[in-house]
Amino acid sequence: MNFVATYLLGPFGEMIAYPPGVLETVIAGLGNGFLYALVAIGFVIIFKSSSVFNFAQGAMVFFAALNFAAMLKLGVPWYLAGAFSLLVMVVLAFTVERVVLRPLVGQDGLSLFMATIGVSFFIEGFGEALWGGDPKLLKIGLPEDAIFTIDYPWGEALGLDIIIQESDLLAIGVGLVMVLGLYVFFQYSRVGRALRAVADDHTASMSIGIPLNQMWVVVWALSGFTAFVAATVWGTKIQIEPTVINLALKALPVLILGGLTSIPGAVIGGCIIGVSELMFETYWGQPLFGGATTEWFAFVLAAFFLLFRPQGLFGEKIIERV
Amino acid sequence: MLYRETGVFHGSYAEDQRVFKLPLDRYAVWILVLIAFLVIPLFASNYVLTDLLTPFLIMSIAALGLNVLTGYCGQLSLGTGAFMALGGFMTYKLVTSFPTAGALFGIQLPEISILGFEPFDIWFFVMLVATGLVTAVVGLLFGLPSLKIKGLYLAITTLAAQFFLLWLFIKVPWFTNYSPAGIAPAPPQTLFGFSVTGAASPVVNRYLFVLALTIIAALAVKNLARCSFGRSWMAIRDMDIAAEIIGISPTFAKLSAFAFSSFLIGIAGALWAFVKINSVQTDAYGILVSFQVLFMVIIGGLGTVLGSFLGAAFVVLTPILLNIGLTAMNPLFVAVGFGTISIAMIKHIEFMVFGSLIIFFLIVEPHGFARLWQIAKQKLRTWPFPY
Amino acid sequence: MKKTWIASAAAAVIAGALVAPAATAQEEQYFPLLVYRTGPYAANGAQLANGQIDYLKLVNAKGGVNGVMLKWEECETEYNTDAGVECYERLKGNGKVAAVSPFSTGITYALLEKVVADQNVLFSMGYGRTSAADGRVFPWVFNFPATYWSQATSIMKYIIEQEGGVENLNGKTIGLVHLDHPYGREPIPTLETLSKDMGFELLLYPVPTTSMSDQKSIWLDIRRAKPDWIMMWGWGAMNPTAIKEASLIRYPMDHFIGNWWAAAEVDVRGSGVPAEGYLGATFHDVGDAAPVFAEIKEKVVAAGNGTGPESEIGEVLYNRGIANAAFIVEAMHTAMAEFGNKALSGEEMQWGFEHLDITDERIAELGLTGVIPPTKVSCENHEGSPAIKLQRWDGSKWTIFTDWIPAMNDVVRPLVEADAAQYAQENGITPRTCE
């Protein structure tokens, strides 16, 4: 009984006792979730068309942010700096595809995965060698303050005292725009449709004249672009230093939940992970387990889901034949 | 012609089943082992022994462990770091709770000493085996999802083990005997009357101790891979459904691979704490370690004992040697007008070169260093007339 | 063919590197510097390293320590324990070691036994294992001028004063935002003891090392729990994030106290928020008023020999780097008075450290007024007489606003001795007697 009281009644009681707290946590969790999703989308774009599990996505986010921040530090106006780092990302993505992955075509997934970890090491070293290893600020005037609802007439009228970080709203907004933009791109543009064809069947798409090599370059450039966007949003929250790369790890459970091939899945997965890990940390982890449960919660949750759906929440059913 | 297989005949079943069937191989391995045991301790400096060779050997044990799981049984794991940590903490708990056999069984082992050699002083070895058994059981538990989940998906569940276990060691003060900072000191241990761990023990003792354990581990893996265990692992790896149809139990094969792999990894973790860093702390077993061991296995060669050693040597030694080499080359850089390269820059270059080398080796030899040895053997076999 | 050429060249370089360090001049004292200039802790680590090296350069520019020149080598640890141990082993044989300062509690713990075996002094100035203050169990480790436990009690004293007495603490809550790393966990036992004695509630907020820049949940929680005071045991990229998040939730900055590793210029500037009123502990003054800085500017920087950017001279962590080097050099002076003017062995350095007695006059003579506190070390007590000052960030710089606040030695010392005794028992060490 004691157990139930501590671990179930307590936390849920607290939620019921102070509902605005739940709202606050959910919004903050969504902000995190969309950030994870922005990284995860980069994974999905590449995995979908070339079955490469690109672990370097986190390092690419770091590299984009590093270029951007270093240019700003040199006094370059933000739009030029942004354009420059976007260009660098596209070039980098192109190079990785040409130099690393092209020679590895046909190898098993594990080798490709390991190669992208190698890329991740290289990018980290390369970025820091270029711009120095000290943490940098990436400030381009995006909103990063906090909104206290109680300061506003409507908040006061509702008696709602919660805090919403503008960077969370930004992440949510940018994430939605990204998903919408990518949807339109894949659905209506010529290249996008070609990419979907490639994703469905390599050989068939080649036979109808889709240049596979060019398509992969497009795909990598696209993931470089998403890395750049993720970096810009991330930069409003924190300094740019190598722990940003760990983001790539958090994107893994997101991918598992969302399925490796679905962009909306990545967003939904991101939201589930972002919200649930923050809720767990706030109501269980911090008061009952000594905190820092965000370290593992996402992974344990993903593992738990996998036990029931081994192909992920939105993944296609795996059919095995001998 | 240098490497001959012809003219070697096996007269009995036992001879046919030897680990090294060729006398040439056998002699080569014996010579290598003798060099490792006798020559290296005589000539290598303390730094080479403690910080190059000992870590290489310890990580070889870990790589052997992961190779059982990933190389032989085909199950991907990113939880190696956590199982190493478990090994470190369990050994610490065991040796502090039961410092002697007497503390556990109430018996006193006889103290016989012949020139400093005490044949009954094997308690630390027993504790290491006990640690291995504990990690094997925990590894088995975390291996349960493998019955349902495969490939990269399984890697995610092992990541859950990685992060959860490390968090647990930090949050539960019991693991460190309530030490204030959550770091346990690794008390010095003896074996056969010789001090084998701790900073005060002679460097050579530590090296030989780890070397002996490494050789035992290598022999164990080599032989397990040849018996029914190994064959069922490989059947599961090559095609699990087909293996199941011909009557191999996937449950048994996968779980035994997890258990045995964790056993070795746990011991490697214990050695890392006791021999290398003289303290048990979660920092030394982060996710990076998991990746490193996976690198060793893949770059070295999946499913080969030799590959585990080559991979461990590459991953452990390359960064350190690069760092030392670049630092030593500084006068050269100054001479050509680059100026001194800062240690930060050296670190960055080290990252770049290491990353590039990984990619390079994956491209030129996706089957790992062990495969290069196969190719070399073929060359030697046909030398000097390759056609 | 080409491949073999490259391979043999590489082999030659590596072999050369392994052999090269053997040659060292006789009359030089060697400083193995374990530093970190890359990674998430780089901003802090670089300043510490630059301060140390600039001071060593200054000593050399003035003719060395009684004629004994100083020599140093850096090794990058990235604040990582494995790398730190490797660095220590790599450097320790390259000369007569003055003292080792790893600037990481994790590395300090890993070296505790090694320095005993190698007979080198481990000088963990204001970090590392607190119970090493018990010189009977840890003869080779020194952690003056103050330890984390002392620091925690000193900060508590300030809080008590602000609250108007111990009795007012009853029912108050104090939060500890700490790095979930040996360093961040060090003060917890002391604070727990105090919380029992004084009746305040202690809330712990661990920040994992792998995601130091994601502290959202912690600060949402703090906003709800509204602790009356917050202490921070942070380092590296964690500090700016915490300061920013605190200012986002509008936590009153004058109730937010960083420890001495969480209150530097880089921390506040990195946060990108004004953070006016943020408090920090320290054991030395801020700014470049002391004569030693003018000397460094004149003899080191003007000679084109400065290690880091000139702007950082006089900043908190740079000054602490100077303090670290100055303490070691002063221990050399002390030892030389006993053993003569030569490069000192580890044992002689240990004697020097143990007999350190740095008075205000001596500090003034060295031109270090305000850079190092007066310190007296003994065989039993390797911590000296711990005390801290508090500094306040006014939006652009730090200013000290209190006098020395001594630690609660009566609380800390028994804890130190108990912990040291447990260490001695587990590791089979017989504490030496101090007569």
Side-chain angles (χ1 to χ4, degrees):
Chain A
M1 269 332 275
N2 210 351
F3 177 84
V4 173
T6 320
Y7 293 98
L8 286 176
L9 297 181
F12 284 114
E14 207 177 307
M15 282 183 215
I16 294 162
Y18 187 62
V22 179
L23 183 64
E24 188 175 72
T25 316
V26 167
I27 293 175
L30 282 177
N32 278 356
F34 269 89
L35 265 180
Y36 300 153
L38 278 177
V39 182
I41 287 173
F43 274 94
V44 169
I45 292 174
I46 290 177
F47 189 83
K48 219 174 150 167
S49 58
S50 57
S51 304
V52 174
F53 199 82
N54 178 28
F55 190 80
Q57 190 69 27
M60 281 164 71
V61 173
F62 172 61
F63 190 63
L66 203 58
N67 279 312
F68 204 165
M71 280 286 140
L72 289 176
K73 212 176 171 184
L74 292 177
V76 180
W78 68 267
Y79 44 91
L80 286 182
F84 169 78
S85 77
L86 183 57
L87 185 73
V88 169
M89 285 323 289
V90 173
V91 171
L92 175 83
F94 177 79
T95 321
V96 168
E97 202 279 328
R98 270 293 145 92
V99 177
V100 181
L101 295 163
R102 187 78 49 93
L104 282 170
V105 163
Q107 297 295 340
D108 61 306
L110 193 57
S111 293
L112 289 164
F113 176 58
M114 282 284 136
T116 60
I117 300 180
V119 172
S120 176
F121 274 103
F122 179 84
I123 294 178
E124 185 183 346
F126 184 57
E128 294 194 316
L130 280 181
W131 305 117
D134 52 316
K136 292 174 187 63
L137 285 171
L138 177 51
K139 297 249 173 281
I140 52 168
L142 288 171
E144 51 175 283
D145 224 338
I147 301 167
F148 284 69
T149 50
I150 203 79
D151 291 353
Y152 294 87
W154 53 271
E156 218 179 334
L158 289 169
L160 188 67
D161 180 14
I162 64 168
I163 171 177
I164 300 170
Q165 295 199 3
E166 287 172 1
S167 59
D168 288 338
L169 297 181
L170 181 77
I172 296 173
V174 170
L176 288 176
V177 171
M178 273 294 277
V179 174
L180 213 67
L182 287 172
Y183 176 78
V184 171
F185 173 77
F186 277 109
Q187 216 64 27
Y188 297 108
S189 81
R190 207 182 144 75
V191 180
R193 277 189 295 210
L195 283 176
R196 283 194 305 157
V198 172
D200 275 348
D201 193 328
H202 286 180
T203 343
S205 53
M206 267 167 91
S207 70
I208 57 164
I210 295 172
L212 211 54
N213 287 342
Q214 282 176 29
M215 284 302 124
W216 281 345
V217 171
V218 171
V219 160
W220 276 82
L222 211 55
S223 83
F225 171 71
T226 56
F228 168 75
V229 173
T232 314
V233 176
W234 198 253
T236 60
K237 298 159 68 79
I238 53 156
Q239 285 186 298
I240 304 306
E241 37 81 25
T243 45
V244 173
I245 294 174
N246 291 337
L247 255 183
L249 288 173
K250 270 287 170 62
L252 294 180
V254 169
L255 285 169
I256 293 303
L257 283 190
L260 287 165
T261 51
S262 156
I263 291 176
V267 173
I268 295 169
C271 291
I272 294 177
I273 296 270
V275 171
S276 58
E277 86 175 358
L278 210 56
M279 288 289 277
F280 184 79
E281 171 71 13
T282 309
Y283 291 101
W284 282 271
Q286 184 61 42
L288 300 174
F289 299 119
T293 55
T294 44
E295 282 285 272
W296 52 264
F297 184 78
F299 298 94
V300 172
L301 185 74
F304 191 72
F305 267 105
L306 280 177
L307 283 182
F308 296 99
R309 279 186 68 85
Q311 68 276 29
L313 217 49
F314 300 96
E316 289 153 23
K317 181 124 188 68
I318 306 164
I319 299 163
E320 284 185 85
R321 296 183 184 87
V322 177
Chain B
M1 288 298 278
L2 286 179
Y3 186 80
R4 264 186 221 252
E5 282 163 330
T6 46
V8 180
F9 303 104
H10 305 299
S12 69
Y13 183 70
E15 256 176 47
D16 197 43
Q17 288 297 312
R18 304 178 85 140
V19 176
F20 299 106
K21 285 184 209 161
L22 297 182
L24 195 64
D25 280 353
R26 212 153 47 230
Y27 300 143
V29 168
W30 272 116
I31 290 171
L32 220 69
V33 168
L34 282 179
I35 290 177
F37 267 105
L38 300 176
V39 183
I40 288 179
L42 278 180
F43 293 103
S45 72
N46 277 359
Y47 172 72
V48 171
L49 284 180
T50 52
D51 282 77
L52 299 181
L53 293 178
T54 311
F56 152 64
L57 291 172
I58 297 174
M59 289 320 265
S60 300
I61 300 181
L64 281 167
L66 188 66
N67 221 336
V68 166
L69 189 61
T70 306
Y72 287 107
C73 195
Q75 309 297 307
L76 194 55
S77 166
L78 286 172
T80 318
F83 289 110
M84 286 178 71
L86 181 65
F89 281 103
M90 274 340 285
T91 314
Y92 170 72
K93 279 309 284 184
L94 285 169
V95 297
T96 48
S97 307
F98 313 110
T100 57
L104 185 57
F105 300 114
I107 51 161
Q108 186 67 45
L109 290 173
E111 278 183 36
I112 304 168
S113 175
I114 313 154
L115 299 173
F117 182 84
E118 295 172 19
F120 290 101
D121 183 15
I122 52 162
W123 190 237
F124 182 50
F125 188 73
V126 175
M127 293 284 95
L128 274 183
V129 173
T131 299
L133 292 176
V134 174
T135 44
V137 169
V138 177
L140 201 141
L141 288 179
F142 278 96
L144 284 175
S146 74
L147 302 179
K148 239 190 132 163
I149 306 168
K150 282 170 191 160
L152 279 172
Y153 291 97
L154 179 65
I156 306 292
T157 62
T158 54
L159 266 183
Q162 167 79 35
F163 291 114
F164 181 73
L165 284 177
L166 286 193
W167 176 85
L168 200 68
F169 298 139
I170 292 175
K171 291 300 157 199
V172 182
W174 177 81
F175 283 107
T176 56
N177 283 355
Y178 304 90
S179 139
I183 298 187
Q189 300 296 321
T190 59
L191 197 65
F192 299 124
F194 299 103
S195 166
V196 289
T197 80
S201 80
V203 172
V204 175
N205 283 13
R206 280 182 263 165
Y207 165 76
L208 290 179
F209 169 60
V210 174
L211 179 65
L213 287 183
T214 313
I215 289 175
I216 296 174
L219 275 178
V221 170
K222 184 85 197 166
N223 281 305
L224 269 175
R226 303 186 316 144
C227 73
S228 73
F229 277 106
R231 287 197 298 268
S232 63
W233 295 339
M234 285 184 266
I236 290 288
R237 170 190 69 188
D238 293 340
M239 175 126 253
D240 49 356
I241 295 184
E244 201 174 345
I245 289 168
I246 59 168
I248 289 166
S249 156
T251 315
F252 180 74
K254 285 180 181 174
L255 292 187
S256 63
F258 261 99
F260 192 72
S261 147
S262 309
F263 182 90
L264 286 181
I265 291 172
I267 287 180
L271 292 176
W272 193 262
F274 277 70
V275 179
K276 174 80 202 314
I277 59 172
N278 300 140
S279 57
V280 196
Q281 42 183 308
T282 48
D283 270 38
Y285 303 107
I287 178 72
L288 197 62
V289 176
S290 298
F291 280 123
Q292 278 175 342
V293 180
L294 194 57
F295 273 135
M296 292 171 197
V297 172
I298 289 172
I299 292 187
L302 284 166
T304 58
V305 170
L306 177 71
S308 305
F309 283 99
L310 297 178
F314 175 76
V315 172
V316 172
L317 302 182
T318 312
I320 298 178
L321 294 182
L322 267 175
N323 198 312
I324 295 178
L326 285 168
T327 313
M329 272 155 72
N330 248 333
L332 194 73
F333 293 132
V334 175
V336 294
F338 278 140
T340 322
I341 307 244
S342 72
I343 54 158
M345 183 56 85
I346 288 175
K347 201 79 196 172
H348 301 149
I349 297 175
E350 180 195 310
F351 261 81
M352 287 165 65
V353 175
F354 186 63
S356 316
L357 281 177
I358 287 170
I359 299 167
F360 175 78
F361 284 118
L362 281 172
I363 291 174
V364 289
E365 196 41 80
H367 297 289
F369 291 146
R371 173 89 190 130
L372 287 178
W373 169 235
Q374 295 287 329
I375 296 171
K377 263 206 299 209
Q378 181 58 35
K379 290 249 159 81
L380 291 174
R381 203 174 277 142
T382 52
W383 190 87
F385 307 111
Y387 301 105
Chain C
M1 238 15 244
K2 205 173 153 211
K3 264 189 205 162
T4 5
W5 182 81
I6 295 173
S8 50
V13 166
I14 287 163
L18 289 176
V19 178
T24 37
Q26 207 59 51
E27 277 300 313
E28 281 177 334
Q29 191 78 47
Y30 180 67
F31 286 70
L33 302 180
L34 308 189
V35 303
Y36 32 102
R37 292 175 181 276
T38 68
Y41 306 92
N44 312 52
Q47 284 204 356
L48 280 169
N50 294 344
Q52 286 188 84
I53 295 174
D54 273 355
Y55 190 77
L56 299 180
K57 282 178 179 165
L58 175 69
V59 171
N60 272 357
K62 296 201 305 188
V65 184
N66 296 334
V68 176
M69 299 302 270
L70 309 180
K71 186 189 131 193
W72 59 92
E73 271 177 288
E74 288 182 87
C75 186
E76 171 74 39
T77 68
E78 292 183 284
Y79 199 64
N80 172 326
T81 305
D82 292 347
V85 170
E86 197 268 320
C87 275
Y88 168 76
E89 296 281 350
R90 192 196 298 177
L91 296 184
K92 74 177 186 195
N94 292 1
K96 287 190 158 180
V97 174
V100 190
S101 297
F103 289 105
S104 149
T105 298
I107 301 176
T108 307
Y109 268 82
L111 295 183
L112 284 177
E113 282 182 52
K114 291 193 188 286
V115 291
V116 179
D118 301 329
Q119 307 230 311
N120 285 327
V121 171
L122 178 62
F123 178 37
S124 55
M125 180 187 69
Y127 54 90
R129 185 170 187 131
T130 298
S131 55
D134 190 339
R136 292 168 304 176
V137 180
F138 298 92
W140 294 92
V141 189
F142 294 84
N143 51 11
F144 58 83
T147 62
Y148 289 137
W149 299 359
S150 303
Q151 178 175 213
T153 60
S154 289
I155 296 178
M156 281 307 301
K157 270 194 176 167
Y158 172 76
I159 293 175
I160 291 167
E161 189 202 310
Q162 293 297 304
E163 293 286 348
V166 181
E167 58 285 356
N168 293 348
L169 271 187
N170 208 340
K172 292 269 175 3
T173 46
I174 295 178
L176 173 69
V177 178
H178 67 92
L179 193 64
D180 212 1
H181 180 270
Y183 150 58
R185 291 193 292 268
E186 274 280 341
I188 297 174
T190 316
L191 288 173
E192 276 171 349
T193 315
L194 290 182
S195 118
K196 260 181 240 135
D197 292 352
M198 300 178 178
F200 65 86
E201 192 192 348
L202 178 67
L203 300 172
L204 298 177
Y205 298 102
V207 177
T209 47
T210 45
S211 45
M212 291 190 288
S213 35
D214 182 14
Q215 299 173 18
K216 203 189 256 168
S217 61
I218 288 171
W219 292 93
L220 277 180
D221 215 67
I222 287 177
R223 196 178 107 81
R224 265 173 237 163
K226 297 192 178 64
D228 299 281
W229 293 85
I230 296 179
M231 290 185 205
M232 175 156 79
W233 249 251
W235 190 228
M238 169 184 163
N239 295 341
T241 316
I243 293 170
K244 179 170 182 184
E245 294 275 353
S247 104
L248 273 186
I249 66 158
R250 299 184 192 166
Y251 189 83
M253 280 295 174
D254 55 349
H255 281 59
F256 183 21
I257 310 175
N259 79 344
W260 53 57
W261 299 117
E265 284 84 357
V266 280
D267 298 327
V268 193
R269 267 192 238 123
S271 71
V273 293
E276 262 168 70
Y278 174 56
L279 304 179
T282 183
F283 52 80
H284 53 72
D285 288 352
V286 291
D288 57 355
V292 69
F293 296 108
E295 273 190 304
I296 286 179
K297 282 181 187 164
E298 181 201 324
K299 295 193 172 124
V300 179
V301 179
N305 219 355
T307 316
E310 195 179 346
S311 58
E312 74 185 17
I313 294 179
E315 295 200 342
V316 170
L317 291 172
Y318 179 90
N319 291 9
R320 202 159 294 151
I322 294 211
N324 193 76
F327 271 128
I328 301 176
V329 168
E330 189 49 24
M332 282 177 66
H333 275 293
T334 312
M336 279 178 186
E338 174 82 10
F339 301 104
N341 298 338
K342 56 178 175 102
L344 299 155
S345 69
E347 217 165 320
E348 289 161 347
M349 280 307 296
Q350 196 269 350
W351 191 94
F353 267 95
E354 208 145 77
H355 292 80
L356 261 187
D357 185 6
I358 313 180
T359 57
D360 277 323
E361 295 78 55
R362 178 64 184 152
I363 293 172
E365 195 184 314
L366 292 166
L368 289 165
T369 310
V371 181
I372 55 175
T375 307
K376 186 173 176 0
V377 185
S378 71
C379 164
E380 237 167 37
N381 180 358
H382 281 189
E383 187 188 7
S385 37
I388 61 160
K389 291 181 180 179
L390 286 184
Q391 55 187 18
R392 181 185 285 125
W393 179 258
D394 68 0
S396 58
K397 64 173 195 316
W398 291 102
T399 4
I400 305 263
F401 70 98
T402 66
D403 202 358
W404 290 109
I405 307 172
M408 304 176 189
N409 284 332
D410 51 329
V411 178
V412 175
R413 189 68 195 179
L415 289 173
V416 164
E417 287 182 5
D419 190 50
Q422 190 196 337
Y423 176 86
Q425 188 247 328
E426 274 181 10
N427 287 274
I429 295 169
T430 324
R432 58 180 179 157
T433 48
C434 283
E435 246 86 69

